[in-house]
Amino acid sequence: MEDYELEILISEADIERRVGELAQQISRDYADEDELVLVGVLKGAFVFLADLSRKLSIPRVIEFIAVSSYEEGSTASNSVRLVMDMRENIEGKQVLIVEDIVDTGRTLHFLVELLSTRNPKSVKTCALVRKPDRTEIDATLDYLGFEIPDVWVVGYGLDYDEQNRTLPHIAAMKPKG
Ligand code: IMP
Ligand code: MG
């Protein structure tokens, strides 16, 4: 996309409020349990994970994993590839995968399958944003922030070719003219 405009879709205040609600819900659900391992999916989830994890009131540790499904720009490739694994052994642990956005559902499906083979106590999923119109694989989402239409969004960790990742809000990229 050469020439585009950014249109705010989800404001900074709305994100903050919703992340707070999700953190409360997660803290309640895991209140009587052991430590929760939050697995952030790089790079996009780093902002969401930072805010979400700091609002939790339960014992938690942070891990990161990196996958690649979009080679560059916004053209979907068919396969998901593990680019960087996490360090922690998750056997017997409670795991919450934290994603920025669920598009086709392939990435989340791949990660749930992968982490489930490591004998964790549980694997659940959390995403800030989902595009329901784009779903190809129905990966279960246990916690979801917002549903959005089928538009490319940037900000709050999300990028387009590495651009606009650190905007405080989520904006839709609209072709100009
Ligand atoms: P999925 O495997 O098709 O669900 O794709 C998920 C991944 O694609 C996300 O983790 C993002 O990295 C990327 N992605 C999908 N849609 C967008 C978007 O609108 N903006 C930025 N990244 C996106
Ligand atoms: Mg991602």
Side-chain angles (χ1 to χ4, degrees), residues 20-170:
E21 289 171 1
L22 289 173
Q24 265 186 18
Q25 201 185 334
I26 294 165
S27 298
R28 264 202 308 273
D29 292 353
Y30 289 91
D32 303 322
E33 304 283 349
D34 303 333
E35 185 177 80
L36 178 64
V37 182
L38 296 161
V39 180
V41 186
L42 291 173
K43 299 177 189 171
F46 84 107
V47 179
F48 178 38
L49 181 60
D51 285 349
L52 182 73
S53 60
R54 287 179 295 170
K55 289 189 158 98
L56 293 174
S57 55
I58 50 168
R60 67 277 191 184
V61 293
I62 307 294
E63 288 290 325
F64 285 104
I65 206 163
V67 292
S68 153
S69 55
Y70 289 79
E71 303 300 21
E72 59 181 36
S74 58
T75 318
S77 73
N78 286 319
S79 60
V80 180
R81 200 159 56 84
L82 185 66
V83 173
M84 187 200 86
D85 207 342
M86 58 184 163
R87 297 186 181 183
E88 180 102 343
N89 177 358
I90 55 167
E91 192 172 340
K93 303 240 167 110
Q94 312 207 86
V95 174
L96 182 63
I97 301 170
V98 179
E99 252 286 42
D100 47 4
I101 188 164
V102 177
D103 187 42
T104 63
R106 283 201 193 101
T107 304
L108 207 57
H109 176 77
F110 170 85
L111 286 174
V112 170
E113 298 278 296
L114 176 73
L115 299 190
S116 296
T117 64
R118 300 178 180 179
N119 301 318
K121 185 174 176 190
S122 67
V123 179
K124 287 194 175 186
T125 55
C126 174
L128 184 64
V129 180
R130 170 167 66 180
K131 297 178 189 173
D133 298 345
R134 297 263 310 161
T135 306
E136 284 175 26
I137 295 182
D138 236 330
T140 312
L141 259 180
D142 298 289
Y143 305 96
L144 172 65
F146 302 93
E147 293 200 321
I148 59 164
D150 180 12
V151 289
W152 195 262
V153 287
V154 292
Y156 202 71
L158 294 156
D159 74 306
Y160 178 77
D161 265 349
E162 296 303 323
Q163 300 307 301
N164 292 313
R165 232 189 241 292
T166 55
L167 293 175
H169 49 256
I170 290 179

Side-chain angles (χ1 to χ4, degrees), residues 7-11 14 148-149 151 153 169-172 174:
E7 181 187 299
I8 297 183
L9 208 60
I10 311 171
S11 71
D14 284 350
I148 59 164
V151 289
V153 287
H169 49 256
I170 290 179
K174 298 265 159 93

